[in-house]
Amino acid sequence: MIFVRLSVAIATLSLLSGAALAQAAKPTDPQIAHIAYTAGVIDIAAAKQALAKASNKDVKAFAEDMVRDHEAVNKQALDLVKKLNVTPEDNDTSRTLTKNAADKRAELEKLKGAAFDKAYAANEVAYHKAVNSALETTLIPNATNGELKSLLQTGLKIFQGHEQHAEHVTAGLK
Amino acid sequence: MTPRRTVSIVAALMLAMSVPAHAATIEITMDNLVISPADASAKVGDTIEWINKDVFAHTATARNGDWDVSLPPKKSGSLILKKAGTVDYYCRFHPNMKATLAVEP
């Protein structure tokens, strides 16, 4: 319990919303499914904000890619939990992630034009890095169901692609 | 049939035979974010068909800017090779998907 409280405290202090992901001790499959799904929902929300506010065409195109890919992954995740008859279980990691993401969106909402583009792209690099690290070190190793593990592994490859794509977009903004 | 017409038919046949004598279609799949085979070879005049088995959109984009083929989810796209040379290509949406195509004359 102390460990859980401590991890939440660390995650809340962190500037990176994704850093919370790395704090989950030994999540169960229903929790892993919830965390992975939540991570996707967060990036879709961030992309929709970017579609409304971004001015750079590469940033907009990137945001469109994020909506499309994360919706596709999350659809697969929903299909899988239905098939496995698993109910995703809300947990401290998911809640911390959601809260941190809401704070980040509020922060980005105050920015305009090129400043917004830069901040969004930089956050996408950091966010995907954090999600990928959590997938590699916590979520994939702890997933017990083979199909869930396999979907998470596909997700990791997709998100590693996003991380590189985001780095490319960020480099183009300088 | 006039002689002139015969000549033109023969000429057309010869032309048809001389260029795509052994033009082949080479299939390359994109499955689970992996391009396979990652190293493919073909000849000028051959057709490359990329088959996207994923539920995600991909592209086959030449690094040298020669071509950019869109591959919507679960769809394929093709390209007729016009130039010899080795081309590195990747997916613009997932730049970690990389492959090489060696095109012989």
Side-chain angles (χ1 to χ4, degrees), chain A residues 65 68-69 72-73 76 150 154 156-158 160-162 164-165, chain B residues 31-34 55-58 90 92-98:
Chain A
D65 296 341
R68 193 185 58 228
D69 273 3
V73 176
Q76 285 196 319
S150 159
T154 300
L156 176 61
K157 278 191 270 181
I158 283 271
Q160 282 169 338
H162 292 171
Q164 288 186 20
H165 191 181
Chain B
D31 191 7
N32 218 0
L33 288 284
V34 176
V55 296
F56 312 104
H58 295 309
Y90 68 108
R92 276 188 286 114
F93 305 140
H94 314 102
N96 50 340
M97 295 172 68
K98 291 179 272 197

Side-chain angles (χ1 to χ4, degrees), chain A residues 118-135:
Chain A
K118 266 190 184 177
Y120 166 71
N123 188 53
E124 284 299 290
V125 173
Y127 183 71
H128 280 93
K129 246 182 205 151
V131 171
N132 290 338
S133 149
L135 279 165

Side-chain angles (χ1 to χ4, degrees), chain A residues 72-94:
Chain A
V73 176
N74 272 3
K75 185 187 175 298
Q76 285 196 319
L78 282 186
D79 290 349
L80 180 64
V81 294
K82 204 170 163 189
K83 183 185 154 193
L84 299 175
N85 210 10
V86 165
T87 307
E89 185 191 309
D90 199 2
N91 56 82
D92 285 342
T93 304
S94 291

Side-chain angles (χ1 to χ4, degrees), chain B:
Chain B
M1 192 177 283
T2 65
R4 186 185 282 178
R5 196 178 226 184
T6 312
V7 167
S8 65
I9 288 172
V10 169
L13 276 173
M14 283 171 68
L15 195 68
M17 282 162 66
S18 66
V19 184
H22 300 286
T25 297
I26 289 122
E27 291 186 353
I28 298 175
T29 59
M30 293 190 175
D31 191 7
N32 218 0
L33 288 284
V34 176
I35 303 176
S36 175
D39 290 295
S41 54
K43 288 190 165 127
V44 170
D46 286 351
T47 298
I48 302 294
E49 186 177 21
W50 284 278
I51 301 161
N52 179 9
K53 296 190 171 177
D54 284 336
V55 296
F56 312 104
H58 295 309
T59 69
T61 306
R63 289 223 186 263
N64 64 10
D66 275 359
W67 33 264
D68 182 15
V69 180
S70 286
L71 303 161
K74 302 275 178 192
K75 293 266 161 64
S76 51
S78 60
L79 171 80
I80 297 170
L81 300 170
K82 292 185 174 129
K83 235 166 71 178
T86 298
V87 184
D88 289 323
Y89 67 96
Y90 68 108
C91 167
R92 276 188 286 114
F93 305 140
H94 314 102
N96 50 340
M97 295 172 68
K98 291 179 272 197
T100 303
L101 185 62
V103 186
E104 292 155 27

